[in-house]
Amino acid sequence: MNTIARSVLKSFTENFTSRPALFFSPGRINLIGEHVDYNDGFVMPAAINKGVYYAIAENQTDDIHFYAVDFDERFSVHIHDIESNDSWRNYVLSVVNEFLLLGKNIHGFNCVFGGDIPRGSGMSSSAAVEGGLAFALNEMFTTGLTRVELALLCQRAEHNYPNVQCGIMDQFANMMGKKDHVILLDCQSMQHQYFPLVLAGYKIVLINTKVHHSLASGEYNIRRQRCEEGLKILKARLPVQSFRDIKSVTELDTEKHNMSPKVYNCCRFVVEEIARTKKASALLQQNDIAGFGKLMFETHEGLSELYEVSCDELDFLVQRARKYPAVIGARLMGGGFGGCTINIVAEDGVANFIEDTCMEYQQQFEIVPEAYIVETADGTKTLAVTL
Ligand code: GLA
């Protein structure tokens, strides 16, 4: 058992007397397909070995007691008094609320959680917090939900109290991840395939800008609104139901004059990114890592120029990566406005790349970044408790 799991269990026994069950709920990376999960696109995420650990036990009452180790904060609530709150409380309370909305018979419990996903890093600590609790409640109260139903429940939870109108990618990867594999998820049909992640001679390196520009969740919802506005215009004038039915930018351009520039740019990014992700998944299956990497750079350009979800810090890191011969592809990962870049780097260049990039970033922004060499992991699961 790793040190975080141990410390979560230790806090549990210091705070409560019952014997807990233990769960691990992973964060995720996404190789390509950004901001298209809520636009009927394809995404290529994988669960990773960083995440949130939950120690949790029923308490035979209707009171819920949370202790968030990473914040050193406690919160208690009666199960009939659940309402939206703030900060981490919104994520856990919203999950409980979704079980209640489904009419599931759940009761009071004691819960301690903590993890190692830096907040705002783009590795989806929020889905990890939601998924771990949802999985635990489903096990503890035998509510009979499948993993996909749990992912959808967590997505609704994130829409509700935290009010981030996210797509399904993060919660799906959290529940459905498979070690050594990436998921190709069709976000329209929810059909998915697993591909072995064979990057012979390469590593996936995340560089964390350690910035998270405020208003990010508001900006996220604004991007979603722009896409909805654009799609409405397209649906009214072309024989299409979703962005996926737009065959090319040329077809999109026939309606350009009906859209504001910002709405058009978002639509253009989405149409391009859906096509790019399809192409990228074929390249990855053919083991054409260089071709795949090129598309990652293109995605970044689109996210920065058209979708406008990048920032100086992320652009700096990707620009730097472009000049580094060992880097095959790089782009911002996740919602944007800060967090991490994802880089595919030739193994023998990883150490130097990390060292040089971190040094230059620090010189430029006076912020000490962090680098992680990522390993894939299974989706949320029960762990054995050894006290
Ligand atoms: C966040 C959201 C996801 C997805 C990404 C961008 O992580 O939670 O649903 O939209 O941003 O691809």
Side-chain angles (χ1 to χ4, degrees):
M1 197 183 306
N2 81 8
T3 48
I4 307 168
R6 225 179 275 286
S7 92
V8 165
L9 273 179
K10 188 163 167 278
S11 302
F12 191 96
T13 47
E14 284 163 6
N15 283 276
F16 307 108
T17 51
S18 43
R19 195 184 161 85
L22 183 67
F23 300 90
F24 173 66
S25 180
R28 63 104 191 88
I29 52 170
N30 182 28
L31 291 186
I32 201 157
E34 216 65 91
H35 281 280
V36 287
D37 57 346
Y38 53 89
N39 284 314
D40 286 336
F42 303 88
V43 293
M44 290 188 77
I48 55 171
N49 61 342
K50 281 181 174 297
V52 175
Y53 293 82
Y54 270 93
I56 189 160
E58 283 184 67
N59 62 18
Q60 323 300 337
T61 72
D62 275 338
D63 292 319
I64 301 174
H65 302 288
F66 291 106
Y67 174 49
V69 178
D70 302 334
F71 298 85
D72 189 20
E73 283 177 12
R74 289 179 175 70
F75 182 75
S76 294
V77 63
H78 191 275
I79 199 151
H80 297 129
D81 295 334
I82 301 275
E83 58 183 5
S84 89
N85 199 290
D86 61 4
S87 158
W88 60 269
R89 285 168 286 272
N90 260 346
Y91 293 88
V92 287
L93 292 172
S94 203
V95 167
V96 176
N97 182 49
E98 291 302 327
F99 276 88
L100 296 174
L101 288 175
L102 288 178
K104 297 291 180 187
N105 194 14
I106 63 170
H107 299 284
F109 57 89
N110 304 329
C111 170
V112 174
F113 68 100
D116 60 352
I117 307 181
R119 274 183 300 282
S121 62
M123 287 183 256
S124 202
S125 58
S126 59
V129 168
E130 293 151 5
L133 181 59
F135 189 87
L137 295 182
N138 193 46
E139 294 288 301
M140 204 159 58
F141 297 109
T142 32
T143 46
L145 298 174
T146 64
R147 282 181 178 268
V148 172
E149 285 167 344
L150 287 172
L152 290 164
L153 179 148
C154 291
Q155 184 194 22
R156 293 196 299 277
E158 182 138 351
H159 288 185
N160 207 343
Y161 292 177
N163 187 25
V164 179
Q165 301 302 310
C166 64
I168 190 62
M169 171 170 77
D170 301 357
Q171 292 79 8
F172 196 94
N174 170 269
M175 283 292 161
M176 301 294 287
K178 196 163 150 185
K179 191 167 168 40
D180 299 324
H181 290 76
V182 285
I183 308 170
L184 175 63
L185 173 65
D186 176 334
C187 300
Q188 190 178 49
S189 67
M190 295 284 282
Q191 282 184 352
H192 63 284
Q193 281 169 266
Y194 292 100
F195 295 123
L197 184 57
V198 190
L199 291 175
Y202 299 97
K203 292 271 181 218
I204 296 180
V205 180
L206 306 185
I207 310 269
N208 189 353
T209 59
K210 299 283 277 293
V211 299
H212 194 61
H213 296 289
S214 56
L215 293 178
S217 66
E219 288 293 333
Y220 184 95
N221 292 348
I222 290 171
R223 296 303 174 284
R224 194 167 175 155
Q225 279 161 20
R226 282 184 195 155
C227 293
E228 277 164 14
E229 196 183 320
L231 185 60
K232 208 168 141 199
I233 294 168
L234 295 169
K235 276 166 82 172
R237 293 170 170 83
L238 297 173
V240 297
Q241 288 308 312
S242 96
F243 281 112
R244 161 180 315 201
D245 304 328
I246 306 283
K247 283 177 225 66
S248 62
V249 171
T250 318
E251 187 179 10
L252 173 72
D253 282 352
T254 60
E255 298 306 323
K256 185 174 179 179
H257 59 285
N258 286 315
M259 297 176 187
S260 73
K262 286 204 182 298
V263 167
Y264 168 77
N265 283 346
C266 281
C267 293
R268 176 162 180 166
F269 171 76
V270 170
V271 169
E272 289 179 348
E273 183 72 354
I274 290 176
R276 206 159 26 228
T277 307
K278 279 202 249 174
K279 205 161 134 193
S281 94
L283 290 174
L284 198 63
Q285 287 171 78
Q286 292 155 18
N287 228 355
D288 183 349
I289 312 294
F292 186 88
K294 251 180 93 197
L295 296 181
M296 291 173 74
F297 283 121
E298 282 181 20
T299 292
H300 184 80
E301 217 175 294
L303 288 167
S304 180
E305 306 286 318
L306 294 173
Y307 219 68
E308 296 184 276
V309 290
S310 190
C311 57
D312 290 348
E313 293 85 351
L314 287 166
D315 287 343
F316 176 89
L317 286 178
V318 174
Q319 273 310 103
R320 184 67 200 84
R322 261 184 196 283
K323 295 198 193 109
Y324 215 88
V327 180
I328 301 297
R331 60 179 197 81
L332 78 83
M333 186 182 75
F337 303 103
C340 288
T341 58
I342 177 169
N343 306 265
I344 298 188
V345 189
E347 237 164 303
D348 55 4
V350 167
N352 284 343
F353 167 65
I354 291 178
E355 199 186 320
D356 294 353
T357 309
C358 289
M359 199 180 67
E360 286 178 28
Y361 181 84
Q362 190 176 345
Q363 273 166 6
Q364 180 79 12
F365 296 103
E366 294 177 4
I367 301 168
V368 183
E370 272 173 20
Y372 325 100
I373 299 171
V374 171
E375 281 173 41
T376 58
D378 288 330
T380 299
K381 62 180 182 190
T382 310
L383 299 179
V385 177
T386 44
L387 286 174

